[in-house]
Every structure is written in C-alpha cells, then in structure tokens.
Amino acid sequence: QCGESQLQSVKTELEKIIHCANCKVYSAAARQLLDRDISPEYMQEGAATLAKRKTNTKNNNTTSIVIFRIGEEWLGLPAHLFQEVVQFRSVHSIPHRRGKILCGLVNIRGELQLCISLGQLLDIKKGERQGVNIAKGIYERMIVIAKEGVRYVFPVGEIRGIRRYSDKDLLAPPVTATHSARDYLSGLVAWKEGDEERHIGCLDEALLFPALERGIA
C-alpha cells in the first residue's frame, strides 16, 4: 500500500513538472555535480588537449587559389581576390596615359575599370597554346580582381577552377626561372588532373598589387 501511495505521488508530481529534468531533486544533484572541485589531473588533461588542437590548426592552414593560364604559364591567385570572370571584351585606350602594363579601360557591368596585362608584368610570352578540351577549362576570358577597393581586369587564356593547398604543400620557386614571375611568387604547388601533372605558380598578393600600382603609373 505504501509503495502504491509513493508511486501515485511521483506520478502526480511528474504531471506537474512535465519532465524529471525539472525536478528539484534532479536539479540539486546536477548543481552538486557542477559545483564540485575540478581535479588537477582533469585540468592538465584539458590544457594538453587544447594545446594539441591549437598546434594542429596552426600546421594545417589552407589557402584556396583560382588557377588560370597566361601563355604557357599556369598561375594561381587567392580566391578571395576574385570578383568575377567575364567574356573577353573590347579595351578602350586612354589618351596620353599608358603605363608599362596598362592596356586601357574595359566596361564591366556599366563601369569602366582599368585593364592591365598581367602577362606583361610577369614577362610571360603569349604562346600558341590552344584549348583542346573545352569541358576542362573556360577559355579566353577576363578576370576581375579587387583588394582594398582597387579593382583590376586582366585577360587570361584559360581558367581551371579552384585548388586548395596547405602551407606544407608549398614548394620554392625554381632558381632557373628566367621571367619576372618568380619575383612575385610565394611558391609552387603541384596540381594533378587526370594524367596531367604540373606546378602552379602561386602569386603573392602582397607583392603583386604594389607592382600593379607602379605599372600603371
């Protein structure tokens, strides 16, 4: 009889509080558990785990680049610089103004933007390469990039999409490079697509943008 009375009391109380997690006894036990002192061993283990996670994060920094081709050279720029890719269009010359790499002005969505020759800056020959598989790349386009409000447009022979790499994948540029591109590279990354394998020159935005500014002066 006593057991049935206690069970009925529990049922009545449970109907009031809906769930046992709302019970005062349950809450008191939870507070007691949370208020207890943390053991030194537990703190040391937690600190070691956090330190390990931080180290792993530091060693696994990744960068996304958009791969494109100018002449025979494959290059990459950080993806965050890219605003859009547009069809190749007419470039209008600027009277009495022509820097080393400045081609003129190009209309991008109703706004005139500076069009530059990245190949000229990097001393890359135009080359004779033609696209053999239109499904793999987008050919003869103009790329719009921007940094800190400054926009540049430049033509490319081909665009091949995005490649992500980690810092440990970055290779030093070859000392045998004869053109100026080496002066603006942070390194090379290997890229394999099917049976094709090549090295992509990763352009360093910190070096490139000041050079672009000087080139159009």
Side-chain angles (χ1 to χ4, degrees), residues 11 23 35 58 64 100 102 112 119 173 178 189:
K11 289 182 178 180
C23 175
D35 289 342
K58 183 176 181 180
S64 294
K100 177 183 177 183
L102 180 61
L112 292 177
T178 56
V189 290

Side-chain angles (χ1 to χ4, degrees), residues 92-149:
H92 306 280
S93 61
I94 306 174
H96 313 296
R97 177 80 183 276
R98 190 173 182 84
K100 177 183 177 183
I101 63 170
L102 180 61
C103 300
L105 297 173
V106 63
N107 190 321
I108 303 294
R109 300 187 183 279
E111 294 185 7
L112 292 177
Q113 304 292 341
L114 291 174
C115 181
I116 54 97
S117 173
L118 189 58
Q120 182 73 21
L121 174 68
L122 304 179
D123 192 25
I124 297 174
K125 305 299 181 184
K126 185 175 181 180
E128 300 297 330
R129 181 185 177 93
Q130 300 293 329
V132 295
N133 188 343
I134 197 67
K136 285 188 176 182
I138 303 175
Y139 298 95
E140 297 297 338
R141 293 291 190 272
M142 285 184 165
I143 291 176
V144 185
I145 59 173
K147 182 177 182 180
E148 298 176 355

Side-chain angles (χ1 to χ4, degrees), residues 183-195:
D183 298 334
Y184 303 101
L185 296 181
S186 57
L188 303 175
V189 290
W191 172 47
K192 187 174 183 180
E193 185 180 45
D195 295 332

Side-chain angles (χ1 to χ4, degrees), residues 42-67:
Y42 184 85
M43 293 183 67
Q44 290 177 0
E45 182 181 353
T49 301
L50 289 175
K52 184 177 180 180
R53 288 178 181 175
K54 186 175 181 179
T55 301
N56 289 341
T57 300
K58 183 176 181 180
N59 293 334
N60 289 314
N61 289 334
T62 59
T63 301
S64 294
I65 56 172
V66 175
I67 298 173

